[in-house]
């Protein structure tokens, strides 16, 4: 555990648990003269951690829910213990470890870094699409363990001209649409209830309902956030609409595709295969049904883990925390309805009003 500038009484105090990612938000914030940066350790005595957290104005937290012990997830009890907390900032686009409604009720802003790793995730998703259609992973596994296999067993398909359905046409989804539409000459359809009809055309996709997307697509790629609305969004009924030769890829969040339903449909040869970067529990247990299937590509929630995206996420995170603690409205605000209460609390904590 280390403190920087902790002797400055009027500093903006920020805490972050070291998640071993590099570079990280603390690396950037330690160079800010107005910030007292506190690096914490999950393994440290809780009393020591709470003694610092209870004084902090900002809490930087990983987006991955399974990386945060329950007591340090942002919920009503943590907010009650941290009366000076004004903003919670996630490392990436997701905010799974945060109870957003509890933050809104407490006048605490929630911000994320959506878009910082979007290119990396999009490339990973398209990589899975190509690896699935060419059976690259199945071929690799076979070549390493056996001989005498007829290579016709691994006959794949061209992606060109096929239809990809994108669930969620935001920062990542629109990049998948661009790569597949312009780069691979695929037909792109998309379902997203939160954008305007004109946005679909601008982002290179045809707007369709979720059911139509599932039924028409040769590939389905999931890029929506995980919340109460999208939990089990793709389950047995939706998977049952897919073509027997279709594939599904999820590089968004575990829990959007129901894993039991996906296991069932794959075991019944209802679809051709799947690519999964995210899981209900991360990492999934070794005896997980999906890990035993040859036509499933599994990765460690690494779609967004590139040198470029790590740099982006840390820099964006730090810049947004600094600007918010200066009283500026953050650009990637998840709960704008908390803004007015935040302004009142900001003036109470720092003794100066927020402009705007």
């Amino acid at each position: 555990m280390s403190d920087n500038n902790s002797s400055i009484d009027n500093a903006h105090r920020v805490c972050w648990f070291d998640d071993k990612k590099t570079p990280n938000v603390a690396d950037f914030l330690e160079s800010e003269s107005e910030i007292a940066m506190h690096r914490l350790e999950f393994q440290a005595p809780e009393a020591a951690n709470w003694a610092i957290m209870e004084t902090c104005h900002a809490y930087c937290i990983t987006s991955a829910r399974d990386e945060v012990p329950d007591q340090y997830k942002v919920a009503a009890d943590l907010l009650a213990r941290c009366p000076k907390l004004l903003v919670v900032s996630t490392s990436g686009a997701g905010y799974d470890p945060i109870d957003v409604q509890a933050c809104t009720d407490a006048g605490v802003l929630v911000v994320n870094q959506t878009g910082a790793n979007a290119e990396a995730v999009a490339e990973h998703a398209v990589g899975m699409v190509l690896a699935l259609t060419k059976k690259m992973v199945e071929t690799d596994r076979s070549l390493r363990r056996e001989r005498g296999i007829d290579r016709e067993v691994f006959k794949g398909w061209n992606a060109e001209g096929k239809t990809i359905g994108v669930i969620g046409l935001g920062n990542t989804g629109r990049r998948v649409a661009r790569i597949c539409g312009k780069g691979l000459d695929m037909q792109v359809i998309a379902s997203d209830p939160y954008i305007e009809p004109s946005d679909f055309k601008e982002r290179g996709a045809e707007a369709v309902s979720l059911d139509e997307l599932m039924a028409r697509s040769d590939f389905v790629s999931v890029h929506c956030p995980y919340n109460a609305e999208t939990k089990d969004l793709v389950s047995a009924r939706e998977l049952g609409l897919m073509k027997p030769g279709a594939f599904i890829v999820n590089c968004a969040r575990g829990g959007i595709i129901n894993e039991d339903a996906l296991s069932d449909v794959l075991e019944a040869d209802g679809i051709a295969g799947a690519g999964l970067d995210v899981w209900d529990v991360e990492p999934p247990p070794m005896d997980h049904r999906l890990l035993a299937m040859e036509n499933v590509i599994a990765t460690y929630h690494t779609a967004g883990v590139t040198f470029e995206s790590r740099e982006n996420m840390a820099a964006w995170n730090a810049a947004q925390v600094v600007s918010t603690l200066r009283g500026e409205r953050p650009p990637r605000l998840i709960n704008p309805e908390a803004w007015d209460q935040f302004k009142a609390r900001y003036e109470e904590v720092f003794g100066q009003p927020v402009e705007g």
Side-chain angles (χ1 to χ4, degrees):
M1 184 186 305
S2 65
D3 300 345
N4 184 49
N5 294 332
S6 57
S7 62
I8 302 177
D9 293 336
N10 62 349
H12 297 158
R13 298 170 66 89
V14 182
C15 62
W16 168 79
F17 282 95
D18 191 351
D19 54 17
K20 311 306 178 187
K21 298 179 178 70
T22 55
N24 56 64
V25 64
D27 294 338
F28 282 82
L29 286 175
E30 283 181 336
S31 65
E32 297 287 341
S33 60
E34 65 200 84
I35 297 293
M37 185 67 232
H38 302 277
R39 294 176 180 258
L40 306 179
E41 299 283 348
F42 289 129
Q43 299 79 14
E46 285 193 29
N49 284 336
W50 285 116
I52 291 173
M53 295 181 72
E54 289 167 2
T55 69
C56 284
H57 307 112
Y59 177 17
C60 296
I61 188 170
T62 178
S63 289
R65 58 180 178 259
D66 290 330
E67 292 183 352
V68 185
D70 287 345
Q71 68 270 31
Y72 298 127
K73 290 183 169 73
V74 181
D77 54 350
L78 181 144
L79 295 168
R81 294 191 66 162
C82 302
K84 296 183 179 181
L85 190 62
L86 294 169
V87 59
V88 181
S89 183
T90 70
S91 60
Y95 41 92
D96 299 13
I98 302 171
D99 183 335
V100 176
Q101 186 58 56
C103 288
T104 300
D105 293 343
V108 174
L109 301 186
V110 178
V111 299
N112 69 356
Q113 316 317 319
T114 183
N117 64 355
E119 185 64 28
V121 176
E123 291 178 11
H124 194 99
V126 176
M128 281 185 158
V129 165
L130 295 175
L132 285 165
T133 194
K134 300 299 188 297
K135 297 190 176 182
M136 291 181 186
V137 175
E138 291 176 68
T139 306
D140 176 83
R141 291 169 182 160
S142 174
L143 192 61
R144 292 172 186 272
R145 72 184 178 217
E146 58 193 351
R147 289 296 179 269
I149 304 300
D150 187 340
R151 62 182 179 148
E152 289 296 297
V153 171
F154 303 109
K155 185 186 297 179
W157 298 265
N158 291 348
E160 182 184 23
K162 300 297 190 299
T163 298
I164 184 163
V166 182
I167 300 177
L169 204 58
N171 284 301
T172 304
R174 75 178 74 180
R175 286 170 167 82
V176 171
R178 181 200 71 212
I179 296 168
C180 292
K182 294 185 177 180
L184 296 170
D185 200 23
M186 298 176 74
Q187 303 297 313
V188 182
I189 60 178
S191 174
D192 191 326
Y194 294 103
I195 62 175
E196 299 299 320
S198 58
D199 293 329
F200 287 89
K201 183 176 181 181
E202 187 271 329
R203 298 175 192 184
E206 173 192 350
V208 298
S209 68
L210 179 61
D211 282 3
E212 183 177 350
L213 182 148
M214 302 302 292
R216 283 178 54 187
S217 297
D218 299 298
F219 302 93
V220 173
S221 194
V222 178
H223 299 288
C224 58
Y226 175 79
N227 52 39
E229 185 179 2
T230 59
K231 183 179 186 298
D232 295 332
L233 179 69
V234 177
S235 197
R237 189 188 73 83
E238 292 75 24
L239 291 167
L241 298 173
M242 293 180 69
K243 303 174 184 179
F247 299 89
I248 191 164
V249 168
N250 185 9
C251 291
R253 277 295 184 272
I256 298 172
I257 300 177
N258 183 284
E259 290 178 0
D260 287 334
L262 179 59
S263 299
D264 289 343
V265 76
L266 286 167
E267 287 176 351
D269 294 326
I271 63 173
L276 300 173
D277 183 56
V278 288
W279 305 81
D280 288 348
V281 176
E282 295 182 346
M286 292 291 293
D287 61 354
H288 197 294
R289 291 164 67 193
L290 290 165
L291 295 181
M293 299 180 185
E294 289 292 313
N295 58 346
V296 172
I297 300 175
T299 53
Y300 271 102
H301 199 155
T302 52
V305 182
T306 65
F307 289 97
E308 295 87 350
S309 65
R310 280 282 183 255
E311 185 82 15
N312 286 344
M313 289 189 288
W316 290 22
N317 194 351
Q320 190 162 217
V321 166
V322 170
S323 66
T324 303
L325 292 180
R326 288 174 178 166
E328 300 169 13
R329 188 182 177 99
R332 294 175 293 279
L333 180 57
I334 300 301
N335 57 343
E337 59 273 24
W339 178 246
D340 287 342
Q341 190 178 354
F342 163 83
K343 290 196 296 183
R345 294 188 62 244
Y346 185 95
E347 185 170 0
E348 179 182 340
V349 170
F350 293 126
Q352 58 188 44
V354 172
E355 299 296 332

